[in-house]
Amino acid sequence: DAGVTQSPTHLIKTRGQQVTLRCSPKSGHDTVSWYQQALGQGPQFIFQYYEEEERQRGNFPDRFSGHQFPNYSSELNVNALLLGDSALYLCASSLRFNQPQHFGDGTRLSIL
Amino acid sequence: GQQLNQSPQSMFIQEGEDVSMNCTSSSIFNTWLWYKQDPGEGPVLLIALYKAGELTSNGRLTAQFGITRKDSFLNISASIPSDVGIYFCAGLPNAGNNRKLIWGLGTSLAVNP
């Protein structure tokens, strides 16, 4: 039973570029949440997708956008990258929003 | 953003000792979760709590959902070297269909063999 998988594992970009991160949820899960985790911090909620719609959003600018596909997989897009966007981006999946979330190993994004 | 108050920030213990850490909030939570994160990996769910007063064990780990619904603790008994890592509490606030998990800053655990 595959858990949550994320790709790529590492990514290096420069300021102003755009990036797309991908997530496949755990089998049987229909809800995907994205988090940003800075070094030494806990994860910060970006947004959550369910039934291909953004259901709730954290305190992140519109540069952060996402998508969920009919097979429940999801993408996180970040435009006009800033140095401060360097972080570990985590995807978590769950069955509905109020069930425990299971995490992938993240994508380490570095902005030069 | 909103964060839970998690303590202690770090712990350095001898193998075999018991460990206790806790999380508090100023508001009521419906769900408390405890995760462990190793370097280079995502958080792994240890225990989920859904009812005030609930006490749940997972091997050497025991966690409780506080009666006031504003706190939770995690105990690890007879620690071993592989317990090393960062432990996070996370909670789902009692606010309708709120979907946003709130996180503590983590407790970094080091175990001396």
Side-chain angles (χ1 to χ4, degrees), chain B residues 9-113:
Chain B
Q9 185 177 2
S10 62
M11 301 181 74
F12 186 85
I13 62 172
Q14 294 294 123
E15 183 177 358
E17 290 184 356
D18 296 343
V19 172
S20 184
M21 59 191 79
N22 68 83
C23 254
T24 62
S25 168
S26 57
S27 56
I28 291 173
F29 278 61
N30 283 341
T31 301
W32 285 95
L33 306 170
W34 285 92
Y35 289 87
K36 178 177 182 254
Q37 187 173 24
D38 292 329
E41 299 182 9
V44 174
L45 180 67
L46 300 174
I47 294 178
L49 303 160
Y50 301 102
K51 296 180 182 178
E54 180 181 356
L55 186 70
T56 298
S57 294
N58 177 7
R60 293 177 297 105
L61 278 62
T62 301
Q64 186 161 26
F65 193 138
I67 291 292
T68 65
R69 298 173 66 189
K70 294 183 179 180
D71 62 344
S72 177
F73 73 75
L74 174 71
N75 286 341
I76 305 173
S77 62
S79 59
I80 59 178
S82 62
D83 291 334
V84 166
I86 301 178
Y87 292 80
F88 288 100
C89 61
L92 200 59
N94 178 34
N97 286 327
N98 176 64
R99 300 157 179 269
K100 179 180 174 182
L101 266 184
I102 307 300
W103 292 74
L105 288 178
T107 295
S108 178
L109 179 63
V111 180
N112 189 29

Side-chain angles (χ1 to χ4, degrees), chain A residues 31 35 37 40-45 48 50 55-56 58-59 88 90 97-106, chain B residues 1-3 31 33 35 37 40-45 48 50 88 92 96-101 103-106:
Chain A
T31 301
Y35 294 83
Q37 187 177 25
Q41 302 290 316
Q44 294 292 318
F45 176 79
Q48 185 180 88
Y50 171 68
R55 299 293 178 166
Q56 189 166 357
N59 297 324
L88 180 67
L90 293 164
F97 74 92
N98 56 356
Q99 296 301 305
Q101 296 179 11
H102 295 257
F103 286 79
D105 285 337
Chain B
Q2 184 182 356
Q3 282 177 336
T31 301
L33 306 170
Y35 289 87
Q37 187 173 24
E41 299 182 9
V44 174
L45 180 67
Y50 301 102
F88 288 100
L92 200 59
N97 286 327
N98 176 64
R99 300 157 179 269
K100 179 180 174 182
L101 266 184
W103 292 74
L105 288 178

Side-chain angles (χ1 to χ4, degrees), chain A residues 2-5 23-32 68 71-74 91-94:
Chain A
V4 180
T5 58
C23 172
S24 292
K26 181 179 170 69
S27 178
H29 287 182
D30 57 9
T31 301
V32 173
Q68 186 181 32
N71 66 353
Y72 308 118
S73 66
S74 177
C91 170
S93 73
S94 61

